[in-house]
């Protein structure tokens, strides 16, 4: 790029940046309170729309002057709907409120905005240091996070490009255009960034291969297929800060020499599709995309492609097939997409989080990035932590933090005084790790060594009431249905694994089942064509390795140690505890299986019971008379 | 010309071919179902043609390997045989074994592979699981037998090759996957003069409506 070009780019971007800052300052300086609501899919699912309506109503009703601003997800899903209220006149700092229902919203508007009382009982914390309210940054859920990719999520309005720019956005793209493509690739290589889509392939190396591959029509694809059950990192990122992803894509396209880029999003993510499409339009309008980006000679068009939601379409070769209008079936690699991808041309496919890591890397430099995380896995990891955990949500941590720190310190551990049993990492391709592995550092290689894998960031915490055989069955049921059907091992092999697991959970396990599960799993791993089949047996193999006794209890004793497999459990009423004359449980039973005994206590008719557990919930805590046992013949016969 | 060694035997062959093709040409049999002579995009879906190649840590399908100078390959190691036998048993666990009523009897690839691998046609340990539909008669000229089909995809590939587009496709997912004709009922289809799919099918899963039904 010639110096002349540099000047053009600097000037063009300067105009945009000034406008963004002007708008931000005008908004900030306006002397009215600001109400900020998290409105990504997670917020909306928890009722953020109703909360917003309630704020609008109460402001109109009481003629309170205030601005409502919608932002994306801040990651604290357990606290949704989340609202930050900034009321400088009150003398309080901006305050973070959790679980703001419409009723709470109306109350807050009245007491805080009208009377200056922030209602301490609903406050989670303050957003900045002050003497009045404890700061959220002092809580572990906040201060142990390291936000690189999610930094601006929940802070900027995803539907307003100027907010991203005022916060430093697209600065890096402008910088990139003034550097040579190979300088960018060197920086990314130097940073040690590894792909966040699961396999951890070095991103710089991929880009270098694509740059050096022959082809006039290279393409960059952002993989936002995200099909793992329970994972929603990529969706949240696209909904909360689409421009960081687009900026990463633009930098990648410039570096590898592509003029076309595609965001591949599943159609089940309508809000993400809408927000990304809008973001692309805004970036085009400002000349950040399109012909001659920022006045330079670099052209880039970005399109959105909506995938129809097959899990296997996240696999890169199937993804390309799907864009080309074919059935999403993987093909043998090599050739890899960087050699022959979309339309036979070199194609870079990167995960959403990988691409969103690029702007910070180019902005702060490879050395800065390497200082975060570990030697072999630099940077941060993003997990959606769900299951039996107190502070569920999206968490970004430096690589190398242990599972224990993430689950217990940052996410608050297991609720209801239950014991931790296992953590499932990596979704249907990953594995379940028991308590002994809690000190495993979270990085690509350590997790593989433990038998799990990073995957794309799904993490499910499980307490003592979880049956590990049932968990394996759940994941195999998923992969078996999602297998594209192309290759023998995955198509038929996963069916037999599932079939055996189903038999075991029903108490129909046989001698030799466990060995058969193990050998078939090994063969499916070694024999399958694509990553789906190659990793599908992982949940079975890890749980067999770490929880074999549980499988054996099912097969040999017809007993489910967690008392979760229905066929292997029974409910009965402890006559010593049951209160004479009480019939709280009777009405709760959907099949009328509860009868009254001779001495006016209750019993369960085992032949009618469907094991729904309603009676156990209904029995008053002071009696606690309903018992659950496994194997079922432990239940005493009552008449 | 390149030189390679298969099972300690030195072979001098033309460049550009796959290892599987070269072995078959030289009388070294490797079980295979989805391989099509001369294609550049192997489907690599049947997972039977595994070989071990020096320098690779795991067996790889030989239909995906282009021959190169210096390749040292073995077609009959224990880990190769283990994968082949499992793949074959898996295929047979969803296969209607009824050779007497099948047009492919005696020229069927499955019979050949069973004999070669010394595995019975009816697998022990794996429960037989058949599809409900025994014959799909929706096509104007062809009948399709889902419980015979091994889903090698050769019929689809040959159709596309002959007619520029395939009149057959894979449908459904997972274990339910079948070959389907999109519910095509058009009597002007080229099928009545072609039948390439019937000829290429390694089993007897597609038959012509005109041929006498063997039931
Ligand atoms: C069955 C299957 C599903 C996948 N799904 C995704 C996905 O949803 N998102 C993703 O980024 N990568 C997914 N991958 C990995 C991609 O094939 C590819 O490796 C990745 O997009 C590369 O990006 P990265 O280098 O940034 O990690 C999947 C792989 C397999 C085998
Ligand atoms: S491993 Fe499964 S998903 Fe992958 S090609 Fe084979 S059948 Fe399809
Ligand atoms: S019908 Fe025959 S050729 Fe076609 S996929 Fe089935 S087995 Fe292969
Ligand atoms: S012939 Fe190679 S996988 Fe089928």
């Amino acid at each position: 790029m010639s110096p002349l070009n540099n000047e053009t780019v600097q000037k063009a971007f300067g105009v945009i940046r000034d406008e963004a800052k002007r708008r931000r300052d005008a908004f900030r300086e306006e002397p009215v309170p600001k109400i900020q609501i998290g409105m990504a899919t997670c917020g909306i699912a928890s009722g953020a729309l109703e909360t917003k309506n309630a704020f609008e109503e109460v402001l109109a009703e009481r003629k309170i002057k205030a601005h409502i601003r919608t932002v994306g997800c801040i990651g604290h899903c357990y606290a949704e709907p989340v609202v930050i209220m900034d009321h400088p006149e009150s003398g309080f700092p901006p305050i973070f409120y959790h679980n703001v229902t419409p009723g709470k919203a109306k109350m807050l508007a009245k007491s805080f905005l009208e009377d200056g009382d922030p209602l301490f009982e609903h406050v989670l914390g303050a957003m900045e240091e002050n003497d009045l309210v404890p700061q959220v940054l002092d809580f572990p859920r906040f201060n142990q996070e390291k936000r690189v990719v999610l930094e601006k999520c929940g802070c900027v309005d995803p539907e307003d490009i100027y907010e991203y720019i005022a916060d430093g956005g697209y600065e890096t793209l402008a910088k990139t255009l003034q550097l040579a493509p190979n300088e960018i690739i060197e920086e990314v290589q130097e940073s040690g960034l590894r792909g966040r889509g699961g396999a951890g392939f070095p991103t710089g190396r991929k880009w270098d291969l694509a740059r050096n591959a022959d082809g006039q029509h290279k393409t960059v694809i952002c993989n936002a297929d995200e099909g793992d059950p329970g994972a929603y990192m990529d969706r949240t990122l696209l909904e909360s800060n689409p421009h960081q992803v687009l900026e990463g894509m633009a930098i990648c396209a410039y570096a590898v020499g592509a003029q076309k880029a595609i965001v591949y999003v599943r159609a089940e993510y309508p809000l993400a599709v809408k927000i990304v499409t809008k973001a692309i339009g805004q970036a085009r309008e400002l000349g950040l995309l399109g012909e001659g980006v920022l006045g330079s000679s670099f052209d880039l068009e970005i399109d959105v492609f909506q995938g129809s939601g097959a899990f296997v379409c996240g696999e890169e070769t199937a993804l390309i097939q799907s864009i080309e209008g074919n059935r999403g079936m993987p093909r043998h690699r090599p050739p890899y997409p960087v050699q022959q991808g979309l339309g036979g041309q070199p194609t870079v496919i990167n995960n959403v989080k990988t691409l969103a890591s690029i702007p910070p890397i180019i902005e702060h430099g490879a050395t800065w990035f390497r200082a975060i995380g570990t030697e072999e896995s630099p940077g941060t990891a993003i997990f959606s932590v769900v299951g039996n955990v107190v502070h569920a949500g999206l968490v970004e941590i430096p690589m190398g933090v242990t599972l224990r720190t993430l689950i217990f310190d940052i996410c608050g551990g297991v609720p209801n005084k239950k014991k931790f049993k296992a953590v499932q990492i990596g979704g249907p391709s990953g594995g379940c790790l028991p308590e002994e592995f809690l000190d495993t550092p979270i990085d690509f290689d350590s997790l593989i060594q433990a038998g799990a894998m990073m995957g794309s960031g799904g993490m499910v915490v499980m307490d003592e009431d979880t049956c590990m055989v049932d968990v394996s069955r759940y994941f195999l049921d998923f992969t078996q249905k999602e297998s594209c059907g192309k290759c023998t091992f995955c198509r038929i092999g996963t069916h037999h694994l599932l079939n055996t697991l189903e038999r075991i959970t029903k108490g129909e396990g046989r001698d030799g089942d466990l060995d058969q599960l193990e050998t078939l799993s090994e063969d499916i791993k070694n024999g399958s064509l694509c990553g789906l089949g190659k990793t599908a047996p992982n949940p079975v193999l890890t749980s067999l390795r770490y929880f074999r006794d549980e499988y054996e209890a099912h097969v040999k004793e017809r007993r489910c140690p967690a008392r979760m497999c229905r066929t292997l459990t029974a409910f009965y009423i402890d006559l010593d505890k049951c209160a004479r004359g009480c019939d709280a449980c009777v009405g709760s039973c959907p099949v009328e299986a509860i009868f009254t005994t001779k001495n006016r206590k209750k019993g369960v008719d085992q032949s009618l019971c469907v094991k729904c557990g309603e009676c156990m919930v209904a029995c008053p805590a002071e009696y606690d008379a309903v018992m659950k046992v496994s194997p079922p013949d432990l239940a005493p016969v009552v008449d | 010309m390149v030189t390679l060694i298969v099972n300690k035997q030195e072979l001098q062959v033309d460049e550009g071919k796959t290892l599987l093709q070269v072995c078959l040409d030289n009388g070294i049999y490797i079980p295979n179902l989805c391989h099509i002579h001369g294609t550049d995009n192997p489907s690599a879906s049947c997972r039977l043609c595994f070989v071990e190649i020096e320098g690779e840590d795991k067996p790889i399908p030989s239909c995906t390997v282009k021959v190169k100078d210096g390749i040292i390959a073995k077609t009959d190691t224990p880990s190769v045989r283990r994968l082949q036998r499992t793949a074959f048993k898996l295929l047979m666990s969803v296969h209607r074994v009824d050779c007497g009523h099948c047009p492919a009897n005696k020229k069927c690839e499955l019979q050949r592979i069973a004999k070669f691998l010394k595995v019975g046609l009816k697998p022990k340990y794996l429960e037989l699981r058949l599809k409900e539909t025994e014959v799909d008669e929706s096509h104007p000229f062809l009948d399709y037998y889902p419980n015979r089909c091994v889903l090698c995809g050769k019929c689809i590939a040959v159709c596309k090759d002959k007619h520029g587009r395939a009149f057959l496709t894979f449908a459904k997912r997972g274990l339910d996957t079948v070959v389907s004709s999109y519910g095509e009922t058009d009597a002007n289809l080229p099928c009545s003069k072609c039948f390439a799919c019937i000829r290429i099918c390694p089993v007897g899963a597609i038959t012509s409506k005109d041929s006498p039904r063997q039931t």
Side-chain angles (χ1 to χ4, degrees), chain A residues 89-137:
Chain A
E89 239 175 66
S90 67
F92 285 101
I95 294 179
F96 188 125
Y97 293 97
H98 60 99
N99 306 98
V100 183
T101 55
K104 223 190 239 183
K106 293 198 169 168
M107 223 155 63
L108 280 171
K110 281 184 239 166
S111 4
F112 192 26
L113 301 182
E114 286 189 332
D115 310 335
D117 173 4
L119 296 182
F120 281 102
E121 63 272 33
H122 301 300
V123 168
L124 193 83
M127 297 303 288
E128 48 195 55
E129 212 180 322
N130 68 97
D131 303 329
L132 301 168
V133 187
Q135 218 200 150
V136 288
L137 268 183

Side-chain angles (χ1 to χ4, degrees), chain A residues 312 315 329-331 482-491 528-534:
Chain A
V312 72
E315 195 280 337
M329 275 180 147
R331 63 155 173 77
E482 293 294 331
S483 159
C484 82
K486 180 169 179 174
C487 73
T488 305
F489 283 96
C490 174
R491 179 181 72 242
S528 290
L529 188 153
C530 87
L532 193 151
K534 283 184 208 290

Side-chain angles (χ1 to χ4, degrees), chain A residues 412-428:
Chain A
V414 180
N416 308 324
K417 300 200 179 116
K418 297 271 182 187
K419 259 177 53 193
F420 170 89
K421 181 161 190 180
V423 53
Q424 212 284 345
I425 312 165

Side-chain angles (χ1 to χ4, degrees), chain B:
Chain B
M1 288 294 250
V2 294
T3 309
L4 60 153
I5 299 173
V6 181
N7 300 345
K8 301 194 176 134
Q9 176 186 352
E10 194 177 291
L11 301 176
Q12 296 233 329
V13 297
D14 285 335
E15 241 163 307
K17 288 190 174 167
T18 64
L19 182 55
L20 174 61
Q21 187 63 52
V22 162
C23 289
L24 295 176
D25 290 349
N26 285 278
I28 303 168
Y29 179 65
I30 299 173
N32 70 87
L33 285 170
C34 69
H35 165 71
I36 297 177
H37 192 110
T39 180
D40 261 344
N41 336 307
S43 132
S45 61
C46 76
R47 316 308 282 175
L48 282 165
C49 69
F50 283 105
V51 296
E52 271 196 82
I53 296 182
E54 241 181 67
E56 306 278 345
D57 56 346
K58 279 180 189 160
I60 28 180
S62 56
C63 64
T64 64
V65 181
K66 283 260 155 69
V67 286
K68 269 197 314 231
D69 243 335
I71 286 187
I72 305 177
K74 285 199 184 122
T75 68
D76 56 0
T77 67
S79 35
V80 163
R81 288 290 182 255
R82 171 171 164 181
L83 282 178
Q84 288 172 328
R85 290 198 174 107
T86 304
F88 185 74
K89 287 180 200 161
L90 288 173
L91 286 169
M92 297 318 291
S93 75
V94 295
H95 192 85
R96 161 87 65 208
V97 179
D98 184 15
C99 305
H101 293 107
C102 178
N105 195 11
K106 301 219 168 84
K107 47 187 195 231
C108 172
E109 279 300 317
L110 294 175
Q111 291 172 334
R112 175 176 188 188
I113 295 167
K115 211 158 137 196
F116 180 82
L117 291 177
K118 303 190 182 70
V119 182
L121 285 172
K122 300 199 175 177
K124 286 178 223 152
Y125 308 117
L126 295 176
E127 277 171 34
L128 186 67
R129 158 69 196 261
L130 295 173
K131 295 190 175 93
E132 269 173 36
T133 312
E134 213 50 66
V135 200
D136 172 357
E137 300 180 303
S138 63
H139 192 279
F141 304 105
L142 307 170
D143 287 336
Y144 169 70
Y145 293 74
N147 288 326
R148 290 179 188 161
C149 173
V150 294
L151 292 167
C152 68
K154 286 206 276 203
C155 51
I156 300 173
V158 77
C159 185
K160 187 164 180 200
D161 193 45
K162 287 248 149 103
H163 307 289
R165 64 164 273 219
F167 295 98
L168 298 171
T169 179
F170 288 118
K172 304 194 189 160
R173 264 190 241 169
L175 201 65
D176 297 329
T177 311
V178 285
V179 171
S180 140
S181 53
Y182 306 93
E184 188 73 82
T185 50
D186 185 357
N188 295 321
L189 286 174
C191 309
S192 57
K193 293 187 205 69
C194 174
F195 295 126
C197 54
I198 298 181
R199 283 191 302 277
I200 205 166
C201 181
V203 293
I206 308 182
T207 57
S208 152
K209 280 206 159 51
D210 295 338
S211 67
R213 270 282 277 284
Q214 293 171 302
T215 40

Side-chain angles (χ1 to χ4, degrees), chain A residues 194-203 206 221-228 234 266 310-317 319 330 333 349-355 429 444 456 482 530-533 535:
Chain A
R194 295 170 69 174
R196 301 304 196 232
F201 189 82
T203 307
K206 192 183 269 186
I221 297 175
C222 169
N223 187 346
D225 189 55
E226 196 172 49
D228 305 26
D234 297 352
R266 52 176 46 223
F311 174 58
V312 72
C313 286
E315 195 280 337
E316 53 189 27
T317 60
L319 184 147
R333 300 176 309 175
I349 300 181
N350 275 134
N351 175 259
V352 181
K353 298 174 289 287
T354 314
L355 290 163
S429 320
F444 286 104
S456 62
E482 293 294 331
C530 87
L532 193 151
T535 58

Side-chain angles (χ1 to χ4, degrees), chain A residues 37-190:
Chain A
I37 310 176
M39 292 277 269
T41 295
C42 45
I44 292 175
S46 319
L49 264 178
E50 290 77 12
T51 304
K52 180 170 171 248
N53 291 343
F55 271 118
E56 281 166 353
E57 270 168 37
V58 65
L59 295 184
E61 233 168 66
R62 307 183 70 93
K63 305 209 167 43
I64 307 173
K65 271 199 119 131
H67 280 311
I68 297 180
R69 230 177 117 234
T70 54
V71 295
C73 166
I74 198 163
H76 294 250
C77 306
Y78 63 92
E80 300 273 13
V82 162
V83 170
I84 295 174
M85 294 180 73
D86 182 11
H87 183 20
E89 239 175 66
S90 67
F92 285 101
I95 294 179
F96 188 125
Y97 293 97
H98 60 99
N99 306 98
V100 183
T101 55
K104 223 190 239 183
K106 293 198 169 168
M107 223 155 63
L108 280 171
K110 281 184 239 166
S111 4
F112 192 26
L113 301 182
E114 286 189 332
D115 310 335
D117 173 4
L119 296 182
F120 281 102
E121 63 272 33
H122 301 300
V123 168
L124 193 83
M127 297 303 288
E128 48 195 55
E129 212 180 322
N130 68 97
D131 303 329
L132 301 168
V133 187
Q135 218 200 150
V136 288
L137 268 183
D138 295 334
F139 307 153
R141 182 62 168 74
F142 289 77
N143 67 15
Q144 301 210 12
E145 274 200 63
K146 169 81 192 166
R147 294 196 154 217
V148 172
V149 172
L150 300 179
E151 190 201 350
K152 298 183 172 68
C153 289
C155 304
V156 297
D157 178 352
E159 299 192 59
D160 183 354
I161 188 172
Y162 282 117
E163 291 210 1
Y164 178 65
I165 297 172
D167 210 0
Y170 285 109
E171 195 89 44
T172 317
L173 176 62
K175 175 177 162 187
T176 297
L177 295 175
Q178 300 170 52
L179 296 168
N182 61 323
E183 288 179 275
I184 301 296
I185 291 180
E186 270 162 36
E187 196 72 29
V188 176
Q189 274 185 317
E190 196 54 38

